[in-house]
């Protein structure tokens, strides 16, 4: 047969499929209503396994059996999503979000007590000053301190680096999310230009040790290779701490990977500018608070979930986002302490907090996850 003839046959099959799927979804909705009346959970894994096996047996073609499994697993997920849309009354999380939308001030505060990790001159400081016009900054020694100061009410907000365009996610921050209660209320991106800075009179050929943060070191790997293997690389809390250590060291054989701002702040000189591997080097920071605050224009939401430890669990969860036409812009997984082979999944999604799709997603997610945590809805300051 010619290609046009084959496509006509496909069109005819698709027409029948659409009609059959429409009818199946109608029946699925009736089943959902019955389950609500009888107090029966929407998800019935035993029934789904039985139906899936029947489909594979009906196919009678071992070569296509795996395709049928994928197709019907997705169809089951869409059916459950549709049932939840019609019958799910579990909207406690949604009520909290709606309350925050109605009661959050219309303008983001210009001044506040803000926790940052490190010392004066850190990139967190730059991010903080981008979000707040007159912040009262409290510097903490580590990321744990930032989370705790916000959680305990010592600070109104906290600034934390979450990912870098070159070095990837800041895993220590993601790991700490497991043990703290917080909400994300804003995010921003900072252009990162790293410099090699040292005390006045120091020459680059005499450098024997370089201090910096792990992320900055990873972002400058090519430059560090050129210096040779005889230069010791020492990780410290952040780039501003590195600059401070060099300034106080009294040594002329040490340097720091830090910002030009830190060079000026600590009376150091720039031996080499823009030493990062990638010129388009940005770090994304989040601003956290203790309470749920949703400011006008929020179009990004962060959530985290523990999924059932079985094949296809993540695929099925992603199908829910796809069914609602919601874009997942970041997916991160981190192992959970004291749990064998279990992971916490972090999602950043793009959708307006005011949309019907967002409301439906929040209602549905608890159905497919062992644990579900809403982290906040916000917009990103460019």
């Amino acid at each position: 047969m010619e290609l046009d003839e084959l496509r006509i046959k496909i069109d005819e099959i698709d027409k029948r499929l659409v009609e059959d799927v429409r009818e199946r979804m109608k029946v699925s909705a009736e089943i959902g209503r019955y389950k609500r009346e009888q107090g029966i959970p929407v998800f019935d894994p035993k029934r789904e396994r039985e139906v899936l096996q029947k489909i594979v047996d009906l196919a009678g073609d071992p070569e296509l059996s795996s395709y049928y499994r994928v197709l019907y697993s997705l169809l089951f997920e869409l059916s459950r999503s549709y049932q939840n849309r019609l019958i799910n009354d579990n909207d406690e999380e949604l009520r909290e979000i709606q309350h925050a939308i109605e009661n959050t001030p219309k303008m983001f505060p210009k001044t506040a007590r803000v926790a940052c990790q490190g010392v004066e001159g850190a990139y967190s400081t730059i991010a903080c000053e981008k979000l707040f016009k007159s912040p009262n900054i409290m510097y903490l020694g580590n990321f744990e301190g930032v989370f705790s100061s916000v959680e305990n009410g010592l600070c109104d907000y906290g600034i934390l680096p979450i990912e870098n365009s070159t070095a990837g996610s800041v895993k220590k921050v993601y790991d700490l999310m497991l043990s703290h209660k917080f909400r994300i209320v804003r995010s921003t991106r900072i252009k990162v230009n790293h410099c090699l800075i040292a005390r006045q009179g120091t020459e680059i050929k005499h450098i024997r040790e370089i201090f910096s943060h792990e992320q900055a070191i990873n972002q400058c790997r090519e430059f560090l290779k050129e210096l040779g293997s005889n230069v010791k690389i020492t990780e410290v809390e952040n780039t501003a701490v590195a600059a401070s250590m060099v300034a106080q060291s009294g040594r002329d054989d040490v340097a720091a990977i830090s910002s030009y701002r830190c060079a000026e702040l600590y009376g150091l000189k720039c031996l080499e500018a823009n030493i990062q591997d990638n010129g388009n080097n940005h770090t994304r920071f989040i601003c956290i608070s203790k309470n749920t605050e949703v400011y006008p224009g929020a179009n990004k939401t962060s959530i985290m979930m523990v999924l059932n430890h079985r094949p296809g669990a993540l695929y099925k969860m992603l199908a829910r986002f796809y069914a609602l036409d919601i874009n997942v812009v970041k997916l991160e997984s981190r192992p959970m302490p004291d749990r064998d082979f279990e992971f916490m999944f972090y999602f950043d999604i793009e959708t307006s907090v005011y949309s019907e799709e967002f409301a439906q997603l929040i209602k549905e997610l608890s159905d497919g996850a062992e644990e579900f945590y809403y982290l906040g809805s916000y917009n990103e300051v460019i």
Side-chain angles (χ1 to χ4, degrees), residues 294-300 351-354 377-379:
V294 181
Y295 290 90
N299 59 4
K300 181 176 285 188
T351 185
S352 171
V353 72
Y354 312 105
S377 298
Y378 51 95
N379 60 15

Side-chain angles (χ1 to χ4, degrees), residues 91-104 183 291-295 298 300-303 349 352-355 358-363 365 372-378:
D91 57 357
E92 182 178 346
E93 197 84 57
L94 194 60
R95 283 195 296 271
E96 178 188 339
I97 297 169
Q98 187 61 43
H99 181 268
I101 292 173
E102 294 171 356
N103 291 276
T104 300
R183 290 288 190 259
N291 301 314
T292 305
E293 300 176 8
V294 181
Y295 290 90
K300 181 176 285 188
T301 293
S302 295
I303 55 179
I349 61 174
S352 171
V353 72
Y354 312 105
S355 68
F358 172 82
Q360 186 57 37
L361 180 70
I362 296 300
K363 287 182 178 181
L365 287 178
F372 166 66
Y373 303 92
Y374 167 78
L375 300 182
S377 298
Y378 51 95

Side-chain angles (χ1 to χ4, degrees), residues 143-144 147 151 160-163 170-182 184 284 286 288 302-304 330 332 334 344-348 373 375 378:
F143 297 138
E144 171 81 33
F147 277 107
E151 193 173 24
L160 292 159
I162 198 75
E163 64 178 321
V170 184
K171 300 189 184 302
K172 289 181 181 178
V173 173
Y174 277 104
D175 289 339
L176 287 168
M177 288 182 180
L178 292 169
S179 55
H180 292 279
K181 293 182 179 180
F182 65 97
I184 302 174
R284 180 174 171 237
I286 56 173
I288 64 170
S302 295
I303 55 179
M304 59 185 188
K330 181 175 176 62
E332 179 80 20
R334 296 297 299 152
M344 180 69 80
F345 290 92
Y346 302 83
F347 297 81
D348 285 345
Y373 303 92
L375 300 182
Y378 51 95

Side-chain angles (χ1 to χ4, degrees), residues 48-298:
E48 288 191 7
R49 286 195 300 271
E50 291 172 350
V51 173
L52 199 56
Q53 189 56 52
K54 287 179 182 178
I55 295 300
V56 172
D57 293 341
L58 282 172
D61 188 342
E63 185 178 353
L64 293 178
S65 61
S66 60
Y67 295 98
Y68 283 108
R69 287 185 180 277
V70 172
L71 174 62
Y72 272 82
S73 292
L74 178 58
L75 190 56
F76 293 157
E77 198 68 29
L78 296 177
S79 295
R80 270 190 271 120
S81 174
Y82 189 48
Q83 288 179 359
N84 278 310
R85 182 178 302 185
L86 295 172
I87 70 172
N88 198 337
D89 296 324
N90 183 19
D91 57 357
E92 182 178 346
E93 197 84 57
L94 194 60
R95 283 195 296 271
E96 178 188 339
I97 297 169
Q98 187 61 43
H99 181 268
I101 292 173
E102 294 171 356
N103 291 276
T104 300
K106 301 306 178 187
M107 297 291 291
F108 195 72
K110 293 182 178 181
T111 184
R113 293 171 300 168
V114 186
C116 290
Q117 183 264 344
V119 296
E120 186 67 43
Y123 283 108
S124 291
T125 306
I126 300 173
C128 181
E129 291 174 345
K130 189 173 182 179
L131 293 172
F132 300 92
K133 290 189 179 298
S134 302
N136 178 13
I137 301 177
M138 177 187 291
Y139 289 103
L140 286 307
N142 50 45
F143 297 138
E144 171 81 33
V146 175
F147 277 107
S148 296
S149 65
V150 172
E151 193 173 24
N152 295 324
L154 297 177
C155 288
D156 304 309
Y157 300 97
I159 303 294
L160 292 159
I162 198 75
E163 64 178 321
N164 177 266
S165 56
T166 300
S169 299
V170 184
K171 300 189 184 302
K172 289 181 181 178
V173 173
Y174 277 104
D175 289 339
L176 287 168
M177 288 182 180
L178 292 169
S179 55
H180 292 279
K181 293 182 179 180
F182 65 97
R183 290 288 190 259
I184 302 174
V185 298
R186 266 292 195 273
S187 68
T188 189
R189 292 178 186 270
I190 300 296
K191 180 75 162 61
V192 177
N193 292 315
H194 290 307
C195 301
L196 186 70
I197 61 177
R199 284 162 44 92
Q200 301 294 331
T202 300
E203 295 184 33
I204 195 169
K205 62 183 179 182
H206 295 147
I207 299 298
R208 291 294 175 266
E209 185 173 10
I210 294 176
F211 303 111
S212 198
H213 184 262
E214 175 189 10
Q215 285 268 325
I217 292 168
N218 289 334
Q219 294 161 29
C220 303
R221 285 294 181 191
E222 293 304 316
F223 174 80
L224 293 175
K225 284 181 183 178
E226 293 177 3
L227 294 182
S229 58
N230 61 332
V231 177
K232 180 182 177 182
I233 309 300
T234 301
E235 294 182 7
V236 297
E237 290 89 341
N238 66 27
T239 57
V241 169
S244 176
M245 290 174 64
V246 170
Q248 298 174 29
S249 69
R251 296 169 56 186
D252 295 328
D253 63 344
V254 296
I257 296 176
S258 192
S259 66
Y260 191 81
R261 176 174 175 172
C262 279
E264 293 180 325
L265 184 64
Y266 293 101
L268 304 174
K269 73 171 184 177
C270 178
L271 302 179
E272 191 87 30
N274 299 322
I275 63 173
Q276 64 273 5
D277 299 340
N278 190 336
N280 185 27
N281 187 26
H282 291 79
T283 296
R284 180 174 171 237
F285 292 82
I286 56 173
C287 178
I288 64 170
S289 72
K290 181 177 182 179
N291 301 314
T292 305
E293 300 176 8
V294 181
Y295 290 90

Side-chain angles (χ1 to χ4, degrees), residues 13-54:
I13 295 169
D14 284 343
K15 183 179 179 181
R16 295 197 299 271
L17 277 175
V18 168
E19 293 171 353
D20 288 342
V21 170
R22 183 190 299 117
E23 187 62 27
R24 193 184 196 283
M25 295 299 271
K26 286 181 180 179
V27 176
S28 179
E30 291 300 317
I31 292 173
R33 294 186 182 96
Y34 179 85
K35 287 180 176 180
R36 179 179 60 181
E37 293 170 0
Q38 301 299 320
I40 301 172
V42 168
F43 181 45
D44 186 346
K46 181 174 181 294
R47 167 65 178 168
E48 288 191 7
R49 286 195 300 271
E50 291 172 350
V51 173
L52 199 56
Q53 189 56 52
K54 287 179 182 178

Side-chain angles (χ1 to χ4, degrees), residues 304-321:
M304 59 185 188
M305 290 183 283
V306 179
L307 302 181
N308 296 319
H309 187 52
R310 62 173 187 265
L314 178 58
Y315 164 79
K316 291 177 179 179
M317 183 56 66
L318 290 172
R320 294 181 178 236
F321 293 102

